[in-house]
Amino acid sequence: LQADIAAHGEGPQHYHYLADCYFGFKDYEKALHYAQLAIDSPVQTIGVDSDMYHEAIESMRQLKQPDAAMLAVAERAIKRFPQLPDFYAEKGMILCGLQRLAEARTALEKAVGLAEAPLRTQESTYFANAADIVYCRLGQLYAQAGEAALAREAFAKALRQNRYNREALAGWVAAGSFES
């Protein structure tokens, strides 16, 4: 990659790969820079264009950038990839951080609804890597609303994804204690 850039100059065809490399090296400033360039680039990759949005959001998270800025990237990703659960999940988690819990619940419910349906895209998804966290957060929102049955179901789904998720186990046990 560096040899090609040295020989031909840096261009849009390099942005995706540079973002991936810097993200892997945990150089989040450069990863974010190149992810944003890749997002705005006319160059498209087959099945992995959504990765740039993920890398941008995660880089922003690591750089402790404002939730509102991450939310804007998540919303842009939803417009581009409305069939992927990933960015509805990101949006829901970000909205939780902003204490916009009703909107967060809607976004997380959309994410799990899409994740539980057959995938209708060739685009890659990373939702399975975070499914337990999403279900757990949704369970917490249900529990806060006093909806024990929904909370228990969400915590159970989180545990099916990751039986070692202590937060989900604690939520599942607690949800059983306030059932009617």
Side-chain angles (χ1 to χ4, degrees):
L1 187 59
Q2 289 176 335
D4 188 62
I5 292 170
H8 304 102
E10 184 180 289
Q13 70 276 18
H14 300 114
Y15 299 154
H16 183 102
Y17 304 106
L18 288 167
D20 279 344
C21 289
Y22 286 119
F23 190 79
F25 292 140
K26 298 183 181 185
D27 185 339
Y28 297 114
E29 286 193 28
K30 287 182 181 173
L32 177 58
H33 171 74
Y34 284 108
Q36 289 173 325
L37 288 174
I39 287 168
D40 293 332
S41 166
V43 174
Q44 292 189 350
T45 54
I46 298 172
V48 292
D49 277 345
S50 64
D51 289 357
M52 292 298 96
Y53 290 89
H54 166 65
E55 289 180 12
I57 292 168
E58 188 55 35
S59 293
M60 294 171 86
R61 189 173 283 125
Q62 294 299 319
L63 294 168
K64 300 186 183 336
Q65 292 200 0
D67 286 342
M70 288 188 290
L71 182 60
V73 176
E75 288 176 338
R76 188 171 174 196
I78 287 170
K79 285 181 184 168
R80 175 100 189 271
F81 305 102
Q83 70 283 18
L84 289 179
D86 309 40
F87 301 110
Y88 293 98
E90 289 283 9
K91 180 179 179 177
M93 298 302 240
I94 295 164
L95 288 167
C96 282
L98 292 168
Q99 296 300 306
R100 293 166 50 186
L101 302 182
E103 293 172 81
R105 176 178 170 163
T106 299
L108 294 174
E109 287 173 338
K110 178 73 173 179
V112 299
L114 286 169
E116 292 172 357
L119 191 61
R120 295 185 176 130
T121 180
Q122 299 297 326
E123 192 66 29
S124 66
T125 176
Y126 63 89
F127 183 83
N129 297 332
D132 67 310
I133 297 166
V134 174
Y135 281 115
C136 186
R137 183 61 53 90
L138 193 52
Q140 292 165 343
L141 292 174
Y142 290 146
Q144 281 182 320
E147 299 176 67
L150 288 174
R152 194 166 172 86
E153 181 182 339
F155 289 128
K157 287 179 179 181
L159 289 168
R160 281 195 285 280
Q161 297 293 319
N162 176 2
R163 65 182 176 189
Y164 300 109
N165 185 322
R166 291 181 182 191
E167 214 173 344
L169 181 59
W172 183 78
V173 169
S177 67
F178 57 81
E179 283 188 71
S180 29

